[in-house]
DNA sequence: GTAACTGCAAACACTTTGCGAAGCA
DNA sequence: TGCTTCGCAAAGTGTTTGCAGTTAC
């Protein structure tokens, strides 16, 4: 069993994710970490984000375009990702309720995670471009 | 209106995706294309995959780890992605039935696409490593 | 004391893009 | 003929990693 160390950098990264209500990217977390500790490196931020996600302390979320986002909520819930500005917000959980593993026609598979990602345009972006109603490429 | 050209390369890429029952990555499609046309380039394959996806002829699918996959099916359905070998398979559609946009508590958002991705271990990988039942990092 | 961790920078995997040439409509 | 597309190669983006030095336990 590998012993785990509680370093200042790891505590900093976790507190940043926990202190936000949105879904920051690694780069946003890195920038915020630098503001508090001018010496912390990008690699360390990624290593700690991966560590925390692997230990179930935070959630790593891939979206169709752009970098991964991180979420302090680790329970099953959906996300919406704006294809124009990249913003990620939570979507109601209850849509996932009753979706058991057995509902997917996958006998013999071990399902560990369920990820529901909606994509489209957020209200902000809809408003700032009323003329364009096309789906962006 | 931009006129569209029906080039040999575009037809080749589309026929490759349509000719497969699995969910190939861009690289797999590129390799297969090279076997039929030794001069086709990687950039052209990507450009055509993007073009075809934007025109609704195929579907581009991002999975939690690794490169995007492409799917000849463009109707709403879920996917399972094996965290060990990367294989992607279809999951039953009916789990998504009745999931209307209004079910997600996102008033004011325009939802264009719904992506449901399950991840875990496929039967093949489960069998080839009975000893290891951990979730891979 | 020692193994886990860090900072740094270089490498990595995947994808996009600028450019001049080629070829479809 | 004109404008879309191609091949090529280089650049871009996001993330991981090797190494030597540091630090928590």
């Amino acid at each position: 069993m590998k012993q785990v160390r509680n370093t200042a950098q790891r505590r900093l990264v976790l507190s940043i994710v926990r202190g936000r209500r949105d879904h920051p990217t690694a780069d946003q977390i890195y920038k915020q970490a630098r503001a508090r500790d001018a010496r912390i490196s990008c690699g360390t931020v990624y290593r700690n984000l991966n560590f925390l996600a692997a230990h179930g302390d935070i959630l790593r979320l891939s979206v169709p375009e752009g970098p991964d986002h991180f979420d302090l909520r680790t329970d099953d819930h959906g996300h919406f990702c704006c294809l124009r500005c990249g913003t990620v917000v939570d979507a109601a959980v209850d849509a996932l309720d009753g979706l058991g593993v057995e509902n997917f026609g996958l006998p013999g598979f071990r399902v560990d995670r369920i990820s529901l990602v909606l994509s489209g345009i957020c209200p902000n972006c809809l408003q700032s471009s009323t003329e364009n109603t096309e789906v962006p490429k």
Side-chain angles (χ1 to χ4, degrees), chain A residues 11-65:
Chain A
R11 271 180 273 122
L12 175 56
V13 168
L14 181 56
S15 81
I16 287 174
V17 178
R18 291 249 166 96
R20 299 180 63 138
R21 289 288 158 270
D22 58 347
H23 302 74
T25 63
D27 188 61
Q28 293 174 312
I29 295 162
Y30 170 61
K31 286 203 173 66
Q32 198 171 338
R34 286 292 281 218
R36 287 216 246 159
D37 170 3
R39 302 198 20 73
I40 196 170
S41 75
C42 171
T44 295
V45 169
Y46 272 100
R47 269 187 287 237
N48 279 309
L49 286 171
N50 284 340
F51 175 94
L52 293 167
H55 283 246
D57 296 318
I58 62 176
L59 199 76
R60 183 172 195 153
L61 172 72
S62 9
V63 295
E65 273 157 349

Side-chain angles (χ1 to χ4, degrees), chain A residues 59-110:
Chain A
L59 199 76
R60 183 172 195 153
L61 172 72
S62 9
V63 295
E65 273 157 349
D68 286 358
H69 292 246
F70 295 86
D71 193 341
L72 74 163
R73 284 180 61 187
T74 55
D75 59 313
D76 266 346
H77 65 290
H79 291 95
F80 172 91
C81 176
C82 178
L83 295 171
R84 202 160 289 163
C85 67
T87 300
V88 171
V89 302
D90 289 323
V93 199
D94 31 312
L96 280 174
D97 286 354
L99 288 193
V101 170
E102 66 285 355
N103 291 69
F104 297 104
L106 294 169
F109 290 70
R110 196 185 76 203

Side-chain angles (χ1 to χ4, degrees), chain A residues 3-4 25 35 42 63 76 91 95 102 111 114 128 134:
Chain A
Q3 74 171 307
V4 166
T25 63
C42 171
V63 295
D76 266 346
E102 66 285 355
V111 177
I114 299 186
S128 60
E134 304 268 339

